[in-house]
Structure formats: structure tokens, C-alpha cells
């Protein structure tokens, strides 16, 4: 599901923090919430979803991005990522973000929806392997 809104960074952070109560994280007990804003203004949320076979776990950021891509959205303005203690996106999520654009803003948020770091995908993943490398 998505909703269409032109939201502020603070609202995106609040949406990400609101996901913390919905995560499926019985093994790590480390909830992560995400809220992704597309260039067209839609919002897709994500949570981390763990599995008894630990490596099958998927991060909140990728859930949000894959939800969006599965609905035909591939241009992203911003993503807010919320954790209890201001954790930053993992390398796999940074690579998935980079696939869809390195200018996307990233708001690192805590459980109180305070934005504690504002950055970009380009800054989070310098030297990313990008789709252009596979062209021609
Ligand atoms: N996790 C995320 O959801 N996003 C990240 O970028 C880092 C890690 C999740 C995966 C796992 O459920 C828990 O946090 C602990 O690693």
C-alpha cells in the first residue's frame, strides 16, 4: 500500500519511526523502520523481517524499496530509516538504493523520529557499482 503526499523530512522520519512497532525481529530484537518517498510523492513503508534461517532476513529499507519497485516506482526522492539508536543502512541496502539513484536523500532517524543525520546515497556508498557499467 502507498499513500500520496508531499511530505516533509520530519513527516517521513515520523512515518519511519512509526514502523518500529510493526517489525518482525524476534531474533535480533533490533527493530528497523523505513519510509520511502518517490519522486511522484508516494510513500512506501518498510520493516525488517527476520527468519529462523537468519540470512533470509530482509532489511526495512529493501522492503520499502521493493514494495515501490513492484508498483512501478523507480525514482526516489528520499528515504528515512529509523532505529532505536540511529543505526545507518547496511551495505546491501546502500547498493539497492544506488541502483535507483545516488541523489536520493537519506534521513537517519531515531525512535523519537529525530533526524540525527541527513545524507545522500552518493555519500553513503562512494564508488558504487551502478547500472551504467552494464550498458553497451
Ligand atoms: N537491518 C535493517 O533492517 N536495515 C539495515 O540497514 C541494517 C540491519 C535489520 C536486519 C536485522 O533484522 C536487524 O536489523 C539486525 O541486523
Amino acid at each position: 500500500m502507498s499513500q500520496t503526499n508531499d511530505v516533509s523530512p520530519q513527516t517521513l522520519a515520523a512515518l519511519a519511526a512509526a514502523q518500529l512497532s510493526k517489525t518482525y525481529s524476534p531474533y535480533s530484537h533490533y527493530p528497523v523502520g523505513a519510509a520511502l518517498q518517490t519522486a511522484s510523492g508516494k510513500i512506501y513503508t518498510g520493516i525488517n523481517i527476520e527468519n529462523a534461517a537468519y540470512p533470509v532476513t530482509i532489511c526495512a529499507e529493501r522492503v520499502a524499496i521493493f514494495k515501490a519497485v513492484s508498483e512501478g516506482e523507480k525514482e526516489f526522492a528520499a528515504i528515512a530509516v529509523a532505529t532505536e539508536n540511529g543505526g545507518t543502512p547496511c551495505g546491501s541496502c546502500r547498493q539497492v538504493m544506488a541502483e535507483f539513484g545516488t541523489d536520493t536523500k537519506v534521513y537517519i532517524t531515531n525512535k523519537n523520529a529525530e533526524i540525527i543525520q541527513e545524507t545522500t546515497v552518493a555519500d553513503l556508498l562512494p564508488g558504487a557499482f551502478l547500472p551504467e557499467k552494464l550498458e553497451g
Side-chain angles (χ1 to χ4, degrees):
M1 273 304 273
S2 71
Q3 51 189 99
T4 301
N5 268 320
D6 192 14
V7 301
S8 66
Q10 185 50 59
T11 299
L12 203 64
L15 282 168
Q19 306 313 306
L20 291 171
S21 61
K22 306 177 189 170
T23 71
Y24 182 72
S25 49
Y27 306 109
S28 73
H29 304 288
Y30 190 77
V32 185
L36 177 71
Q37 183 176 24
T38 70
S40 61
K42 291 181 183 164
I43 304 292
Y44 292 87
T45 58
I47 55 168
N48 53 331
I49 303 172
E50 300 185 346
N51 193 280
Y54 295 170
V56 182
T57 292
I58 185 164
C59 294
E61 299 93 316
R62 277 178 285 157
V63 169
I65 293 167
F66 294 161
K67 281 167 71 176
V69 174
S70 75
E71 298 290 332
E73 298 285 344
K74 290 190 271 299
E75 291 180 28
F76 306 132
I79 185 168
V81 182
T83 62
E84 301 263 327
N85 59 0
T88 52
C90 78
S92 296
C93 289
R94 294 177 193 210
Q95 181 64 34
V96 169
M97 291 175 192
E99 177 74 16
F100 300 103
T102 53
D103 291 337
T104 303
K105 290 189 168 58
V106 182
Y107 305 118
I108 310 298
T109 305
N110 65 17
K111 63 181 172 188
N112 299 319
E114 294 159 340
I115 298 173
I116 53 181
Q117 186 187 352
E118 177 177 338
T119 184
T120 64
V121 173
D123 284 345
L124 285 175
L125 191 62
F129 184 81
L130 297 175
E132 296 85 71
K133 281 283 181 288
L134 299 179
E135 285 172 6

